[in-house]
Amino acid sequence: MAETNQKEYKVTWKGWLSLTILVISLSGIFTNANAPWKALDFMVLTGNFGEVAKGIIFTGKGGIGAKDGFMFALTLFPTVMFALGCIQVAESLGALRAAEKIFHPLLRPLLGIPGVSGLAFVSSFTSTDVGAVMTKELVDEKLMTDNERTIFAAYQFAGSAVIVNTFGTGGPLLPITVLPVGIIILLIVIAKIIGANMVRLYLKWYLAKNAVVGGSKNG
């Protein structure tokens, strides 16, 4: 039985290679590269919609309410569907098991989440949607508990997509900041980790409290 489990979790070279390609693709390090390997970047592969007029895509301009929200949701489908396809292929090659081996020593003490969530951790630096989809997949496959999902969600959605949003939404402020952009991103990540650990401590306190109450009632 032990030999069977060991064989089941063995990571082959295909798993390590697919994990390496996914981490490079999702990390965003080639987004602004002027070289052929820019094609490996996830956001480059996702592409952009064409314009129906100058500066206006198919969702139009000036929409409001639920209808405008629906049109915005349509723009998310390609990214989510493409991410799901990549993850399914990578998972079949053993990338998630490889990620578990690498990230387990880091993510378990840092956030209290399993190492198999390493790909979602990396992708959350550049995309909120992809990180959320990957997290849901992990929970559906029983690789992450509800409490671990809560902690991971707290990490992801505070300062979400930190790299993209720092250069995108925060772009106009970068020229007048007194700190290098690398330090700014590092501080945001540290704040995210602190916030996630506050949720982690609360969950630990809540579970301990309810265990005591349940034990008293049973006693």
Side-chain angles (χ1 to χ4, degrees):
M1 186 67 179
E3 291 180 0
T4 303
N5 290 337
Q6 189 174 2
K7 185 177 181 181
E8 183 182 351
Y9 290 102
K10 184 179 180 182
V11 180
T12 66
W13 66 269
K14 294 179 183 178
W16 293 113
L17 179 61
S18 57
L19 173 65
T20 302
I21 293 175
L22 263 184
V23 169
I24 291 174
S25 179
L26 296 171
S27 65
I29 58 176
F30 291 151
T31 301
N32 298 315
N34 293 317
W37 46 82
K38 181 178 181 179
L40 289 174
D41 185 79
F42 181 80
M43 298 309 293
V44 174
L45 290 171
T46 304
N48 294 302
F49 290 107
E51 297 179 348
V52 296
K54 187 176 181 180
I56 302 176
I57 62 174
F58 75 97
T59 58
K61 184 178 181 181
I64 59 172
K67 290 184 177 180
D68 190 46
F70 178 78
M71 296 301 291
F72 175 75
L74 286 178
T75 67
L76 302 178
F77 284 169
T79 302
V80 173
M81 293 174 67
F82 182 52
L84 282 174
C86 291
I87 296 305
Q88 290 297 322
V89 173
E91 184 180 7
S92 67
L93 295 173
L96 290 185
R97 292 300 179 192
E100 185 175 17
K101 288 184 177 295
I102 290 180
F103 288 101
H104 181 78
L106 171 66
L107 294 181
R108 181 60 74 185
L110 195 64
L111 294 172
I113 59 177
V116 73
S117 56
L119 280 179
F121 178 78
V122 173
S123 68
S124 69
F125 281 89
T126 56
S127 173
T128 305
D129 308 322
V130 176
V133 169
M134 288 184 178
T135 304
K136 181 182 181 299
E137 289 286 310
L138 293 173
V139 175
D140 290 344
E141 295 178 11
K142 311 297 183 187
L143 297 174
M144 177 180 283
T145 66
D146 285 341
N147 287 339
E148 290 168 344
R149 174 179 56 184
T150 302
I151 296 169
F152 199 23
Y155 169 81
Q156 290 187 52
F157 288 97
S160 61
V162 59
I163 294 178
V164 171
N165 285 331
T166 299
F167 288 100
T169 308
L173 298 176
L174 291 180
I176 60 174
T177 55
V178 297
L179 294 174
V181 65
I183 300 298
I184 294 174
I185 292 176
L186 178 63
L187 290 175
I188 295 174
V189 172
I190 291 173
K192 284 159 66 72
I193 293 173
I194 292 174
N197 276 283
M198 291 175 68
V199 174
R200 183 181 176 186
L201 288 173
Y202 172 78
L203 287 173
K204 187 176 181 180
W205 169 81
Y206 180 82
L207 292 174
K209 177 184 176 184
N210 282 275
V212 171
V213 172
S216 300
K217 287 181 178 179
N218 293 331

